[in-house]
Amino acid sequence: MVRAVPGWLHIVGIIFVALTALILLAPLIVVIGVSVSESQFIAFPPNGLSLRWYQEVLSSNAYLNAAWISIQIALLVTLMATAIGGAAAIAIHRRQLPFSDTLATVFLSPLVLPTIIYAIGMLMFWSSVFGPVTPLTLALSHTAIALPYVVRTTLAVLAESDPYLEEAARTMGANRLQRLWFVVVPQCFPGLAAGAFFAFNISFDEAVLSLFLRGPTLTTLPVQIYSQLEFSPDPSVAAVSTIMIALTIVLIFVIDRMLGLTRFASA
Amino acid sequence: MNDRTENLLLALPGILLLGLAFFLPIAQMLLLSISGPEGFTLAHFVRFLSDPYYLNILWRTVRLSVLITVICALIGFPLAYIMTKVGPKLRLGLVVIVILPLMTSVVVRTFGWMVLLSRSGIVPELLRDTGLVGRTFALMQTEAAIVIGMVQVLLPFMTLSILGVLTRIDGKLEEAARTMGCSFLQTIRTVVLPLALPGIVAGSLLCFTLSASSFVTPNLLGGTRIQVLAASIYKSVTATPDWPFAAAQAVILFVGILLVLVPYIKLTGAKHG
Amino acid sequence: MANVRLTDIRKSFAKTQVLHGISLDIASGEFISLLGSSGCGKTTLLRMVAGLESVTAGGIEIDDRDVTSLPPEKRDIAMMFQSYALLPHLSVSENVRFPLRMRGIGSREEQQEKVAAALETVQLGHLSERKPRQLSGGQQQRVALARAIVSQPKVLLLDEPLSNLDARLREDMQVELIEIHQRLGLTTIFVTHDQEEALSLSDRIVLLNAGRVEQQGTPDEIYNQPATSFASNFIGSANLVPVEITDSAQGPVAKLEDGQVLHLDPNEAIRGKATLALRQEDLTLSANGMGLKAKVRTRVFLGARNRYVMSLAGHPLRALTANDLDFANGQEIALAIDPARIRVIAD
């Protein structure tokens, strides 16, 4: 906080920020703490120190299968959302379509609609039109809710690029495809990359659609954790959760490198 | 090929995907909510709106969502404001603290709260030790647990919405207000708060929508006894299963959210702009 | 190198017409400036030559070939943008090679030779591996110039390329543009709102006003013989004084609105209501000499010179004087001007 703030307020501010940070981080710290506990029971602060629950997780078929399905779906979602969302963002950014504004609203709408409403619709529609839910169904639904993020990050990057680049490329003899590939797509790259990481994170962590569209052979990691929590939680849940937190930290680090976290957070 | 064709081709995969896997499913759900064995019916809505059990669920959902949204705004605004005023290093740290929970699976975070709030967890223990509450005090399976958990889940959304608006405010405005004789708190009230209002509104809408429609955290922290609307929908889909009724509840949830959002947008829009 | 012919070019955006029939013949190798204030249509006209803006009516020929409906990538032109429009993800040399690569001119080795030569021309050979963001504004500008000349285009289009540079760099670049034009002889169309830039660079200036050609001619003609009051005010920001010209025993005289009289050149032919264009630097001020009576309102110190704002017949009048001339505000002074330097414009 800068000059000209009353002294007492300064102190209140520091306490406030510290408390808020504590509330925000407390559940994560607790999960990490429980995961290294030696005890049979979930307890915080942990009793003793061991990695036995990590061993447990790594030898559990239920967790490993769920993780494998989650990774496959998340990668597919990342690919689809980035390609489809990036292309759409370019079309929206150019504003040459008569319904550009509507298009932007359409692509951002999955962000506004509560996921649970969409999840019921997807479940009902898919099973009545295409039959049983498959991993592809889940991947498509995750792509739909990840698209707005890719569109937004890409639009944000395009908005900052020189608006005359495409015209300049035309005067230099670049045809339609050359302009797209050599001029526009490279401009999008930081936005596409950030969007891709978001898409992966959304799909990998998503619980609502995954719960509605779950099946005996279609259980993602968050669904597996949810089931454990509902019935018989033991510290192995904490170990899996800690692994997911670690993955998130890595993603945040990469996004910060790609795009600058502060800039992204206030975009 | 002209510009229009090229851009249409670029947008087409997305339009197809959203059409087939987003808008059609929602349309199907709307249709299902008003269809019975003999075609069109409002029976599902009547059933919900005439049963005190469900009305109670609806009322609880609205009550908790409003409370959660207000708490998020009360914490989120000062937090976002402080984030704009600190140095770049500390700001990055705070952004990480806000984004890390946001990007962590809601299942994982709720698990953390289950540990913290459980009978032998730190929070009830602390409260019992200070003597503020009785020996039998418990937090799990209460509305308070839902509120605590949901505030932590949704605070990042609120903070980031407000932060986005605050960073675009010209810092000179505050300095100008100070030179015109405003005290620090007067400056906040007369300059910063009005300018941040769009962010607070956007953040509140987001928080309200998300808290009214979430069921993972309420289910795990509130248990089956304290149900919210979204949890009831989930039950109708998986346990019962009664899809048309689930669809009708989803429509009620959606309409309910709209009923709150529209006047809110109008109210704040009329006052500022 | 090629000639450019514009025939009765018109342009409308929605219902507003911004260009009202412009015809221009630009000779091969000519350096021509489109000069005017913002909104006069000069940039629109340039973009139409580039093919970036559609033509509402009229025709464009480059090298005696009708290109009116040809897209920019097929026109064999090069354009320098105000923002430079360097591709941020490509290095300096890749940026300069871009037009050769897109047009498929020559083998990779030949392209690289041309790139090296173009970068030498703008004295940037040593920075070829840098990214644009690592360069200063002036250097980015040179890269844009190298990229524009590397493919030997038929026409070089420059859209206010110097406006983002500070005064010193702008002077350097002007010299460089002149030298490069002399060396390569490219037909060049230069858009600017800066009259000095237009005067110092061009073979010919086309002065545009509200979508019409106000006057065209060599810099000398435009400066010394402005044809309209707009031209004389725009070029050299001359003072415009409304008068009535009559004959007297000593030849033609101009009567100001307050009745004061100014003697004109004996050969002046215009009579009746007219406007005098008096250049700021042509006015001689003295405390009690002969001439028109004016009242000092403000002095602006400009370093090497002073600018006085005076009141003459109720109109503000500006004069540039030596910096040792010192008058007080409100002082009555005398104002003289060589009749030969007075430009008379018929109303």
Side-chain angles (χ1 to χ4, degrees):
Chain A
M1 294 178 94
V2 282
R3 62 227 119 81
V5 176
W8 62 271
L9 207 59
H10 201 145
I11 295 168
V12 171
I14 292 171
I15 297 173
F16 168 79
V17 171
L19 274 179
T20 312
L22 185 69
I23 292 174
L24 281 171
L25 294 182
L28 307 187
I29 295 167
V30 166
V31 167
I32 297 168
V34 172
S35 75
V36 293
S37 162
E38 216 172 9
S39 151
Q40 282 281 358
F41 306 101
I42 290 175
F44 188 86
N47 309 319
L49 200 70
S50 89
L51 294 178
R52 61 179 281 210
W53 297 109
Y54 287 89
Q55 267 176 333
E56 189 95 349
V57 168
L58 292 177
S59 55
S60 147
N61 273 334
Y63 280 130
L64 289 181
N65 284 338
W68 179 228
I69 287 174
S70 279
I71 289 172
Q72 281 176 303
I73 288 179
L75 287 177
L76 185 60
V77 169
T78 307
L79 205 71
M80 289 197 292
T82 311
I84 295 172
I90 292 170
I92 293 168
H93 174 75
R94 284 173 166 171
R95 309 191 63 84
Q96 286 159 339
L97 289 172
F99 47 90
S100 279
D101 288 332
T102 322
L103 205 61
T105 315
V106 164
F107 275 94
L108 295 181
S109 54
L111 211 55
V112 193
L113 190 88
T115 315
I116 188 168
I117 294 175
Y118 169 46
I120 304 174
M122 192 67 179
L123 175 66
M124 294 168 180
F125 174 74
W126 205 269
S127 28
S128 67
V129 177
F130 297 106
V133 165
T134 64
L136 183 70
T137 321
L138 188 55
L140 282 176
S141 67
H142 279 178
T143 306
I145 61 167
L147 269 184
Y149 291 86
V150 179
V151 170
R152 263 196 355 191
T153 53
T154 310
L155 279 177
V157 170
L158 280 174
E160 277 175 31
S161 70
D162 186 334
Y164 293 103
L165 288 181
E166 269 200 85
E167 288 192 343
R170 295 196 78 177
T171 65
M172 291 186 278
N175 64 31
R176 208 170 274 287
L177 228 72
Q178 288 173 318
R179 293 199 293 274
L180 195 62
W181 191 246
F182 294 116
V183 178
V184 183
V185 172
Q187 303 313 309
C188 296
F189 188 73
L192 290 175
F197 286 110
F198 274 106
F200 186 90
N201 180 259
I202 287 163
S203 170
F204 197 73
D205 283 353
E206 207 281 332
V208 177
L209 280 160
S210 306
L211 273 169
F212 275 86
L213 301 175
R214 75 206 279 191
T217 56
L218 184 54
T219 304
T220 64
L221 209 44
V223 171
Q224 179 67 24
I225 295 174
Y226 182 88
S227 315
Q228 291 277 320
L229 291 182
E230 262 194 327
F231 301 111
S232 57
D234 67 32
S236 68
V237 184
V240 182
S241 300
T242 305
I243 295 171
M244 291 183 73
I245 294 172
L247 192 68
T248 307
I249 293 174
V250 171
L251 281 179
I252 289 180
F253 181 76
V254 178
I255 290 175
D256 184 39
R257 273 294 144 92
M258 285 284 183
L259 207 62
L261 203 56
T262 314
R263 196 186 113 196
F264 186 79
S266 47
Chain B
M1 179 150 73
N2 62 18
D3 290 345
R4 201 173 279 194
T5 323
E6 182 190 349
N7 289 308
L8 206 58
L9 281 177
L10 284 171
L12 202 60
I15 295 172
L16 281 179
L17 179 101
L18 286 182
L20 269 175
F22 188 77
F23 289 107
L24 268 181
I26 291 163
Q28 162 94 359
M29 187 211 62
L30 293 175
L31 218 65
L32 200 65
S33 73
I34 47 167
S35 54
E38 293 101 38
F40 174 81
T41 173
L42 287 175
H44 313 300
F45 291 95
V46 174
R47 176 178 158 206
F48 185 94
L49 295 170
S50 59
D51 187 337
Y53 173 76
Y54 288 113
L55 288 178
N56 193 27
I57 287 178
L58 183 62
W59 170 231
R60 177 184 296 125
T61 306
V62 173
R63 195 159 37 90
L64 293 184
S65 300
V66 169
L67 187 62
I68 290 160
T69 305
V70 169
I71 296 175
C72 280
L74 288 178
I75 304 178
F77 173 72
L79 183 62
Y81 179 75
I82 291 171
M83 283 169 83
T84 61
K85 294 293 164 191
V86 298
K89 276 238 176 78
L90 187 49
R91 185 180 317 158
L92 182 65
L94 288 175
V95 168
V96 170
I97 289 175
V98 170
I99 287 192
L100 178 59
L102 181 67
M103 290 183 64
T104 305
S105 181
V106 82
V107 183
V108 172
R109 281 188 279 167
T110 307
F111 171 47
W113 283 114
M114 287 170 75
V115 178
L116 277 166
L117 302 178
S118 70
R119 226 187 138 64
S120 54
I122 294 182
V123 178
E125 287 272 330
L126 267 177
L127 289 172
R128 280 192 288 260
D129 286 351
T130 54
L132 285 173
V133 295
R135 310 211 127 267
T136 52
F137 175 77
L139 264 175
M140 274 301 274
Q141 323 255 327
T142 64
E143 289 184 358
I146 298 178
V147 173
I148 294 172
M150 287 304 295
V151 164
Q152 192 260 354
V153 170
L154 296 180
L155 183 57
F157 289 103
M158 179 69 87
T159 311
L160 291 182
S161 301
I162 299 175
L163 184 65
V165 176
L166 281 182
T167 47
R168 277 188 279 274
I169 295 178
D170 184 356
K172 297 277 183 294
L173 285 176
E174 277 178 73
E175 292 177 8
R178 297 304 290 272
T179 64
M180 290 184 275
C182 283
S183 72
F184 175 74
L185 288 177
Q186 276 175 322
T187 308
I188 296 277
R189 207 182 65 229
T190 56
V191 178
V192 183
L193 208 52
L195 288 173
L197 202 63
I200 300 176
V201 171
S204 301
L205 299 182
L206 196 59
C207 278
F208 183 84
T209 307
L210 289 174
S211 70
S213 59
S214 68
F215 73 95
V216 170
T217 306
N219 245 14
L220 292 175
L221 295 178
T224 41
R225 230 165 26 85
I226 306 179
Q227 280 213 336
V228 292
L229 187 50
S232 165
I233 295 174
Y234 182 59
K235 206 176 84 182
S236 300
V237 169
T238 51
T240 321
D242 185 348
W243 285 7
F245 187 51
Q249 291 179 80
V251 171
I252 289 168
L253 173 63
F254 193 48
V255 172
I257 288 170
L258 284 182
L259 282 180
V260 174
L261 298 197
V262 172
Y264 197 46
I265 295 171
K266 279 215 176 121
L267 202 74
T268 48
K271 233 193 307 178
H272 288 272
Chain C
M1 249 211 278
N3 63 333
V4 177
R5 184 172 298 123
L6 308 181
T7 320
D8 197 25
I9 298 283
R10 288 164 195 278
K11 178 72 184 177
S12 304
F13 289 114
K15 281 188 179 125
T16 0
Q17 193 168 359
V18 293
L19 291 177
H20 304 267
I22 290 185
S23 298
L24 271 182
D25 260 318
I26 302 167
S28 187
E30 192 177 14
F31 193 120
I32 193 165
S33 288
L34 303 178
L35 175 65
S37 47
S38 64
C40 73
K42 58 189 192 298
T43 296
T44 306
L45 189 60
L46 187 79
R47 288 170 57 83
M48 288 164 96
V49 177
L52 295 169
E53 211 78 69
S54 67
V55 175
T56 308
I60 301 173
E61 282 173 43
I62 296 176
D63 208 5
D64 294 324
R65 174 164 157 249
D66 183 20
V67 298
T68 314
S69 53
L70 222 54
E73 57 265 35
K74 298 198 174 131
R75 286 195 183 189
D76 200 5
I77 45 143
M79 180 160 168
M80 231 172 117
F81 289 73
Q82 202 172 355
S83 64
Y84 313 145
L86 297 178
L87 295 163
H89 59 287
L90 297 182
S91 70
V92 166
S93 61
E94 285 166 327
N95 258 290
V96 178
R97 193 165 74 92
F98 195 80
L100 303 174
R101 203 169 128 213
M102 292 301 111
R103 297 201 159 102
I105 300 174
S107 67
R108 202 187 166 86
E109 287 70 33
E110 286 165 344
Q111 290 179 359
Q112 261 146 4
E113 270 169 40
K114 283 187 177 171
V115 169
L119 282 174
E120 269 328 303
T121 310
V122 297
Q123 297 147 38
L124 277 183
H126 58 295
L127 296 177
S128 62
E129 292 318 307
R130 295 264 184 97
K131 287 279 168 67
R133 75 177 100 249
Q134 298 169 300
L135 302 180
S136 70
Q139 290 167 335
Q140 293 185 15
Q141 228 258 334
R142 283 156 197 270
V143 177
L145 183 58
R147 193 174 68 172
I149 59 175
V150 72
S151 59
Q152 299 277 334
K154 284 185 174 145
V155 186
L156 178 60
L157 307 171
L158 308 171
D159 183 13
E160 307 222 18
L162 307 182
S163 62
N164 286 340
L165 301 176
D166 61 48
R168 184 60 215 285
L169 268 174
R170 192 151 56 211
E171 279 174 30
D172 290 351
M173 275 312 291
Q174 286 179 11
V175 174
E176 203 151 325
L177 274 178
I178 294 173
E179 286 175 358
I180 286 176
H181 180 246
Q182 282 168 354
R183 186 143 21 114
L184 303 177
L186 291 170
T187 310
T188 306
I189 308 179
F190 181 82
V191 159
T192 183
H193 64 272
D194 184 323
Q195 41 128 341
E196 272 178 44
E197 218 164 77
L199 290 171
S200 56
L201 289 173
S202 335
D203 296 326
R204 181 152 57 113
I205 294 174
V206 178
L207 182 65
L208 292 175
N209 178 27
R212 290 191 172 84
V213 174
E214 188 80 19
Q215 186 179 3
Q216 53 172 309
T218 63
D220 184 60
E221 284 165 0
I222 292 274
Y223 187 78
N224 289 315
Q225 298 154 41
T228 64
S229 51
F230 175 85
S232 52
N233 184 251
F234 194 87
I235 309 274
S237 35
N239 296 290
L240 300 178
V241 182
V243 293
E244 180 149 14
I245 300 173
T246 51
D247 285 300
S248 76
Q250 291 91 12
V253 291
K255 203 162 120 197
L256 274 62
E257 283 171 349
D258 65 349
Q260 295 198 69
V261 175
L262 183 66
H263 288 278
L264 298 177
D265 192 277
N267 299 325
E268 184 54 57
I270 295 169
R271 295 293 180 272
K273 285 208 178 295
T275 303
L276 300 188
L278 309 177
R279 247 183 248 291
Q280 299 191 45
E281 58 269 34
D282 292 341
L283 297 168
T284 311
L285 273 53
S286 60
N288 37 29
M290 296 284 291
L292 298 169
K293 293 277 172 284
K295 193 183 255 179
V296 173
R297 277 169 47 180
T298 318
R299 185 183 72 167
V300 183
F301 181 65
L302 299 174
R305 295 198 276 187
N306 278 339
R307 167 173 288 135
Y308 277 97
V309 182
M310 294 154 294
S311 184
L312 175 69
H315 297 285
L317 190 80
R318 293 145 181 272
L320 282 169
T321 68
N323 67 356
D324 54 354
L325 223 57
D326 198 13
F327 301 119
N329 285 357
Q331 188 179 341
E332 283 262 332
I333 53 157
L335 209 136
I337 183 164
D338 177 0
R341 306 290 299 168
I342 297 174
R343 177 106 192 127
V344 181
I345 297 149
D347 276 359

